[in-house]
Amino acid sequence: MRVLMKGNEAIGEGAVRAGCRYFFGYPITPQSELTHYLAKRLPEVGGLFLQAESEVASINMVYGAAAAGARVMTSSSGPGISLMQEGLSYLAGSELPSVIVNLMRGGPGLGNIAPSQSDYFQAVKGGGHGDYHMIVLAPNTAQEMLDTMGKAFDLADQYRNPVMVMADGIMGQMMEAVDLAGDTKIEIPPKPWATTGMAHHTGKNVINSCLVIPEEMEELNLRLEKKYKVISQKEQACDQYMLADADIVLVAFGLVSRICMSAVEKARAMGIKAGLIRPITLWPFPTELIEKTADKTRAYLTVEMNMGQMIEDVRLAVRGRAPVFHYGRLGGMVPELKDVLAEIKNLHEGGTGR
Amino acid sequence: MKKAFSRPQSLLDVPFHYCPGCTHGVAHRLVGEVIDELGIQDNVIGHAPVGCAVFTMDYFDFDMISAAHGRAPAVATGVKRVLPDRVVFTYQGDGDLAAIGTGEFVHAAVRGEKITCIFINNAVYGMTGGQMAPTTLPGQKTKTTPFGRDSVISGYPIKVCEMLTPLDGAAYIARAAVHSPRAIIQAKKAIKKAFQVQMAGLGFSLVEILSTCPTNWGLTPLEAVKWLEENMIPYFPLGEYKVPAAGVI
Amino acid sequence: MARVIFLEERCKGCQLCTAVCPKGIIVMSDSTNGMGYHPASVPEQDKCTGCGICALVCPDMAIVVEREEKAV
């Protein structure tokens, strides 16, 4: 069954289909339709939508519901996600599976409600305090926004880790056909560690990230590090487009990757061997694939709705074997096809980018 | 001979880390005794705060969650909404609940969240070394009010029970103390009632417990209980501020 | 017949029990325990009525009170 859905609604339906029955959140544009959708939809499936008094409370309600063993999520945008950083650090430290959606908007500060990708660093480099990682997923269609939610909840449970789904304001608002025919079987793994009361599991369960003895804290850090290594090895995901013979390689995620696909096609029509890598996981970053292309690529161009954040990860993957340039629009502006194409032409002609 | 007074089953047989004479230990014991008497040890989920009671999960012998500073009522909300048939409580100090956590406990009460907050008010930040708390009395000397709390600069103590009483979602609100045998017996009754109110599904319950901090007050334990009686109780009157209609529990 | 047992190693010497004992028989030991505190003790056990008030105020659960069970 194909229906026309906003990206925000697709995320909501994807969460319901993934077995998420609890949503705690606080209003913020441009993710409102997601909360509107779930406020109606969750009660239909016996779930709960609860509007909290703040993002700080929301993320801590998520913490409690996750500790109790539920599939639970929240969503917000830039300023609200900033308020949640403390909670995200605690979720990571206490290893609680949970899904957080960020429909990014222009910043810093209050910024605006226009689309942006300027929370990349915040999502993939930490954001909260302490040594930790979230798994970060970046879909680029309404269909993928729906499907990503199942993947997000599965990864969260599999690794006992918070997972962030990142998109932008346009993707949240944009309507596209979504196929709802897919797999709806919900498989939630048992959670013998959950604090559900001692009558409901063996022994006493404690959810905690407070380890005052440094040896014990280091032990937790090492366990997390080991887990992050496994995730890095197993979970890198990306799409590629016309990459096989490309010598100008674009790297873009989310909405911008769609503009870049068109730019690659236009460049090919002009005789330029352009290609595209679209990271689907922003953390772990798809370093492996990018690294493999480094020796046959003349130049990389990251196109982002920020000052150049993902470019750092591309450079780390390329390790100096090819130049990496950036083209970005800021403050809620979206790169235009003609401008991306002009950048590709410039690099093709031996230019050094802006 | 039969043991007339011994450790409740809900408390593990380990020494507390608290300073000599600190009445956290009394409050812990009362919570443990109430949980034993209500027969809910296997069905209760407690929440530890940030502050002196941060290690509470090492003492209670039931499921525990460590919450971020001030956020325990929000975490407890998440737990209770997923597991409505469990008994869920938070144990929080005055800095945790009444300063940084002001939003969370107030809105838990506003929602009529069926959780219980055990709120320890000792008028000072203990763990961090004796700074002014939101409940520090006017004129009271602390490390950050070395000349005494000046209301012109630092305002007035927050009266949590009085604040919560008008809220429709608050079902049981009481203030007790643990400075004397008589007060301790009253405090236990209040804690028990708060849990019973939750178990009857009546709404939010909170028991404020006036407690001592001899170390940071700079007093001996015996001087501290006297100071509590003479200074804290006049400012924070004891009693039940809100109770369910007669016969409900 | 009653008996009060002070768990010396749990006592932090706060003296709260000494002030509430109706018989005034709780005294602080001259010796110190493993934590370095002078623990409370009752040398005159025969005077103890087993009222349990000392245990009620003890913040460290260092006091166990035993009583003969009353005949039913």
Side-chain angles (χ1 to χ4, degrees), chain B residues 41 45 91 161 177 200 222 226 244:
Chain B
Q41 185 184 3
I45 298 144
Y91 187 102
C161 291
L222 285 171
K226 195 159 174 268

Side-chain angles (χ1 to χ4, degrees), chain A residues 196 199-201 204-205 207, chain B residues 42-43 57 60 63 66 86:
Chain A
T196 51
H200 310 273
H201 52 75
K204 168 187 170 182
N205 282 348
I207 297 294
Chain B
D42 278 356
N43 228 30
M57 63 264 198
F60 286 125
D63 280 7
S66 161
R86 312 297 146 85

Side-chain angles (χ1 to χ4, degrees), chain B residues 5, chain C residues 49-57 65 67:
Chain B
F5 203 102
Chain C
T49 62
C51 71
I53 294 178
C54 54
L56 186 67
V57 301
V65 183
R67 272 195 293 258

Side-chain angles (χ1 to χ4, degrees), chain A residues 43-296:
Chain A
E44 287 174 5
V45 292
L48 170 82
F49 174 92
L50 186 67
Q51 185 168 321
E53 67 270 23
S54 68
E55 286 91 349
V56 174
S58 310
I59 197 70
N60 282 285
M61 291 173 185
V62 167
Y63 184 94
R71 280 200 159 173
V72 56
M73 70 175 287
T74 186
S75 69
S76 190
S77 186
I81 297 289
S82 292
L83 280 170
M84 292 182 185
Q85 293 303 319
E86 175 197 44
L88 296 178
S89 171
Y90 276 72
L91 286 166
S94 298
E95 296 187 88
L96 290 178
S98 44
V99 174
I100 301 95
V101 175
N102 182 2
L103 273 295
M104 289 178 281
R105 56 187 251 178
L110 190 52
N112 57 33
I113 58 170
S116 169
Q117 295 180 328
S118 54
D119 300 346
Y120 179 92
F121 278 157
Q122 186 193 49
V124 307
K125 307 288 182 194
H129 58 283
D131 250 348
Y132 77 94
H133 279 293
M134 288 188 295
I135 297 169
V136 184
L137 307 176
N140 79 342
T141 62
Q143 180 71 55
E144 204 178 296
M145 287 163 104
L146 180 119
D147 297 336
T148 293
M149 294 309 285
K151 179 83 178 157
F153 280 103
D154 286 346
L155 287 171
D157 280 340
Q158 184 183 344
Y159 293 107
R160 280 192 64 180
N161 209 69
V163 176
M164 178 168 277
V165 175
M166 297 242 286
D168 60 72
I170 287 186
M171 289 184 57
Q173 310 283 327
M174 192 168 59
M175 291 189 91
E176 285 187 302
V178 174
D179 188 350
L180 295 175
D183 184 15
T184 54
K185 205 168 68 188
I186 297 165
E187 279 175 39
I188 302 175
K191 302 183 180 183
W193 48 265
T195 45
T196 51
M198 294 200 301
H200 310 273
H201 52 75
T202 317
K204 168 187 170 182
N205 282 348
V206 173
I207 297 294
N208 179 37
S209 62
C210 172
L211 298 161
V212 283
I213 298 165
E215 284 85 349
E216 290 179 10
M217 190 69 221
E218 188 181 45
E219 202 181 300
L220 169 65
N221 287 141
L222 289 171
R223 195 174 74 236
L224 292 178
E225 187 186 34
K226 204 169 148 191
K227 175 170 84 174
Y228 298 149
K229 270 190 185 140
V230 172
I231 298 172
S232 294
Q233 282 160 6
K234 287 191 174 172
E235 305 300 342
Q236 292 182 24
C238 61
D239 250 359
Q240 43 179 294
Y241 187 59
M242 298 189 175
L243 192 63
D245 63 339
D247 60 6
I248 307 280
V249 173
L250 277 61
V251 187
F253 69 93
L255 178 76
V256 183
S257 66
R258 299 170 61 148
I259 298 161
C260 287
M261 273 177 80
S262 303
V264 164
E265 285 167 10
K266 296 262 185 213
R268 288 269 171 179
M270 293 161 69
I272 302 171
K273 287 181 182 171
L276 170 69
I277 294 173
R278 170 175 82 94
I280 296 170
T281 54
L282 299 183
W283 197 91
F285 194 69
T287 306
E288 274 174 31
L289 176 78
I290 294 175
E291 200 177 7
K292 274 183 205 153
T293 63
D295 287 329
K296 54 179 183 172

Side-chain angles (χ1 to χ4, degrees), chain C:
Chain C
M1 179 66 187
R3 192 161 64 125
V4 61
I5 304 159
F6 281 71
L7 309 172
E8 284 198 4
E9 288 307 314
R10 288 287 166 85
C11 178
K12 294 174 184 160
C14 74
Q15 303 185 25
L16 291 179
C17 55
T18 61
V20 296
C21 175
K23 297 286 177 187
I25 54 172
I26 305 175
V27 295
M28 308 309 289
S29 299
D30 290 334
S31 59
T32 54
N33 64 13
M35 293 187 284
Y37 297 115
H38 293 282
S41 64
V42 176
E44 301 170 280
Q45 276 287 345
D46 53 319
K47 290 189 182 165
C48 174
T49 62
C51 71
I53 294 178
C54 54
L56 186 67
V57 301
C58 177
D60 288 291
M61 279 172 283
I63 306 170
V64 176
V65 183
E66 292 181 343
R67 272 195 293 258
E68 281 301 352
E69 278 202 77
K70 279 178 194 157
V72 180

Side-chain angles (χ1 to χ4, degrees), chain B residues 3 11 15 19 25 32 36 42 46 53 55 86 128 131 138 158 170 188 218 239:
Chain B
K3 280 191 175 145
L11 273 179
C19 302
D36 282 6
D42 278 356
F55 304 121
R86 312 297 146 85
T128 46
Q131 298 83 5
I158 186 167
K188 183 174 168 182

